[in-house]
């Protein structure tokens, strides 16, 4: 599947559109995306809600895996560590890489960086390849 198709799939997901996720770096096994933080993404502490971090990491890891396996995937498990908050007006940037790929399970790592390049969150996710052409 061409990388542009993967971008279209993920950017046109209703949930990703709602969050404002945009994809910019497109290479096989290497995807980058970002969200410009607005007040609608903030929690009661006026920092980005943890679910936004989780969502962008899930999306960037999934898109990265899709560039390699060329099949739909689903998230099986994901853990996240938060290191620093992001505030309104900042840019949240996410990247991912594949750590291990088996026949039906893929493990990936995702990072969220702030606009200065500091890592503000990290995740590891396990994804199942949905074999649609059987």
């Amino acid at each position: 599947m061409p990388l542009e198709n993967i971008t279209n799939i993920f950017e046109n997901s209703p949930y990703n559109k709602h969050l404002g996720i945009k994809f910019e770096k497109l290479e096989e096994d290497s995807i980058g995306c970002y969200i410009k933080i607005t007040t609608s993404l903030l929690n009661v502490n006026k920092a980005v809600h943890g679910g936004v971090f989780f969502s962008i990491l899930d999306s960037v890891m999934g898109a990265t895996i899709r560039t390699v396996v060329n099949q739909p995937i689903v998230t099986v498990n994901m853990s996240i560590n938060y290191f620093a908050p992001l505030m309104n007006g900042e840019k949240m940037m996410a990247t991912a890489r594949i750590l291990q790929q088996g026949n039906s399970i893929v493990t990936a790592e995702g990072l969220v960086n702030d606009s200065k390049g500091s890592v503000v969150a990290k995740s590891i996710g396990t994804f199942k390849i949905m074999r649609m052409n059987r």
Side-chain angles (χ1 to χ4, degrees):
M1 173 182 299
L3 293 175
E4 298 79 28
N5 290 0
I6 291 170
T7 301
N8 288 334
I9 288 169
F10 282 85
E11 278 193 346
N12 290 313
S13 155
Y15 184 68
N16 288 350
K17 282 176 101 169
H18 174 72
L19 289 177
I21 297 175
K22 299 289 183 192
F23 288 78
E24 59 184 1
K25 179 184 174 191
L26 299 167
E27 299 170 12
E28 186 173 317
D29 190 27
S30 184
I31 298 284
C33 62
Y34 68 93
I35 297 175
K36 290 183 180 175
I37 306 305
T38 63
T39 56
S40 66
L41 302 177
L42 303 181
N43 62 22
V44 298
N45 298 318
K46 299 190 177 168
V48 174
H49 191 282
V52 178
F53 284 89
F54 199 93
S55 295
I56 196 171
L57 286 163
D58 187 45
S59 289
V60 76
M61 288 189 296
T64 298
I65 293 167
R66 287 283 295 261
T67 67
V68 175
V69 303
N70 212 8
Q71 294 284 338
I73 58 161
V74 294
T75 308
V76 175
N77 186 41
M78 190 170 143
S79 65
I80 186 169
N81 291 306
Y82 303 95
F83 305 125
L86 290 174
M87 304 304 204
N88 187 38
E90 293 188 68
K91 189 174 180 182
M92 168 186 278
M93 293 164 286
T95 56
R97 68 185 181 104
I98 294 172
L99 298 174
Q100 185 277 334
Q101 180 180 345
N103 187 44
S104 62
I105 298 292
V106 180
T107 302
E109 174 185 67
L111 299 175
V112 172
N113 296 84
D114 64 15
S115 57
K116 295 175 187 169
S118 297
V119 175
V120 295
K122 180 179 180 176
S123 67
I124 294 193
T126 304
F127 299 79
K128 179 166 180 46
I129 302 168
M130 307 301 293
R131 303 287 179 191
M132 306 306 279
N133 298 333
R134 287 190 173 195

